[in-house]
Amino acid sequence: GAGRVGVEHLPLDEPGDLLDEVLDLFGRGIGKLTPDHMRRERVEALGEAVEDSVSRHGRMVAEHLPTTVSKMTQLDLSPLAGALGATVRGLDLGAELSSETIAAIRAAFVEHHVLVFRDQELSPEQQMSFGRRFGELDTHPFVEGNAEYPEVIDVVTEPDDVFNFGGGWHTDVTFLEEPDLGSILYAVDVPQGGGDTLFSNQHAAYDALSETMKEMLDGLVGIHSAGPQYADGGSSTFQKSMKTKEADLASAFVAHPVVRTHPESGEKAL
């Protein structure tokens, strides 16, 4: 993605060098942003602005860039909580969104981790089309997808179900060697109260650790398996309306670092 720019490692004491390096880095991600001859003539005027524009997540505020650069789409969003989450207003996810809007959504996702788009009316095709703007869609290896759209899982909890599907704390599909970027949940029928989906900020969890604990965890690997959920008798195999599959393969193991570094923000997380 174009946002993979390690700006937080750039020297901030030399605005001219900073501007050159930022433009070089952005240029490698999304093509040349501005002609070479424009770089130096605006250094003095833009040096301070660019320095202020480099956020902790490696993004730049577009109004401080040369006028030849297209401004990034500004989203109408408000934070949900102090730890994570934001509500995005004014977008129809079923429409054909511009590449600039998708880039802004991805930047907001990197910053806030959970995005809420209220009052959407999406068909399965529209939900899938929106998802494809961020990458290739996955099919779950252990849960039967929708008969017509296998990439879509109909998550159903019946009134007399003892367990809700995916109710334990987890990060999606870490039993894969390459876990997915994220999940797009579309609420169809929800209770008036309760049944909330909870999220935790694993960047904040890592940041809250002592330096000693961080040093102890760095370099360790964790062993992940789908067995407890999807092997015979697993916790996700009891729902009446949810069908699982390949139970004999679910108990395989895969190793992941306990501490991961986000490829776009550069932040560490558990």
Side-chain angles (χ1 to χ4, degrees):
R4 299 189 180 187
V5 181
V7 175
E8 58 188 5
H9 301 300
L10 298 179
L12 296 181
D13 53 340
E14 293 293 335
D17 293 338
L18 171 65
L19 179 59
D20 276 353
E21 193 158 357
V22 167
L23 291 174
D24 284 340
L25 287 168
F26 269 81
R28 287 200 293 271
I30 57 177
K32 211 66 172 177
L33 288 177
T34 184
D36 288 344
H37 71 271
M38 293 184 62
R39 294 184 176 183
R40 285 297 176 184
E41 66 186 32
R42 292 177 180 253
V43 166
E44 292 184 2
L46 289 175
E48 182 176 357
V50 171
E51 188 171 339
D52 292 338
S53 301
V54 179
S55 74
R56 63 192 297 268
H57 295 300
R59 289 181 301 281
M60 300 187 70
V61 179
E63 53 263 32
H64 297 314
L65 292 173
T67 56
T68 55
V69 181
S70 298
K71 291 187 177 182
M72 177 177 281
T73 299
Q74 299 297 309
L75 299 180
D76 179 8
L77 61 79
S78 57
L80 278 173
L84 80 172
T87 297
V88 182
R89 294 175 293 273
L91 290 181
D92 178 6
L93 302 187
E96 184 66 26
L97 301 176
S98 68
S99 297
E100 292 79 11
T101 298
I102 293 298
I105 292 173
R106 182 160 186 141
F109 181 50
V110 171
E111 179 175 359
H112 297 284
H113 315 308
V114 176
L115 299 180
V116 177
F117 304 85
R118 300 191 186 279
D119 302 320
Q120 301 291 318
E121 294 290 339
L122 298 177
S123 66
E125 294 95 335
Q126 290 172 319
Q127 183 178 359
M128 293 166 62
S129 178
F130 176 65
R132 288 193 178 100
R133 301 298 299 275
F134 301 92
E136 180 182 355
L137 299 184
D138 197 8
T139 55
H140 200 289
F142 303 117
V143 181
E144 293 285 357
N146 182 283
E148 190 172 357
Y149 308 100
E151 298 92 342
V152 176
I153 298 176
D154 298 321
V155 181
V156 179
T157 300
E158 302 291 355
D160 56 346
D161 274 335
V162 178
F163 300 98
N164 64 323
F165 183 82
W169 283 104
H170 65 280
T171 298
D172 283 347
V173 296
T174 59
F175 48 76
L176 298 178
E177 289 189 9
E178 295 184 7
D180 297 338
L181 169 71
S183 301
I184 301 173
L185 306 178
Y186 177 54
V188 177
D189 184 15
V190 296
Q192 292 184 346
D196 296 322
T197 299
L198 306 180
F199 297 88
S200 66
N201 185 338
Q202 294 304 96
H203 295 298
Y206 176 81
D207 290 342
L209 297 176
S210 68
E211 292 304 315
T212 300
M213 182 63 73
K214 290 177 181 177
E215 292 176 4
M216 185 180 75
L217 295 179
D218 282 340
L220 295 182
V221 297
I223 304 302
H224 298 244
S225 174
Q229 285 76 42
Y230 301 114
D232 288 333
S235 60
S236 293
T237 64
F238 296 103
Q239 284 75 24
K240 294 181 175 62
S241 298
M242 301 289 297
K243 303 301 181 184
T244 57
K245 59 183 179 179
E246 306 290 356
D248 55 328
L249 302 178
S251 296
F253 293 95
V254 64
H256 292 298
V258 172
V259 179
R260 304 300 298 263
T261 300
H262 195 284
E264 294 175 57
S265 70
E267 291 188 332
K268 290 186 175 182
L270 295 176

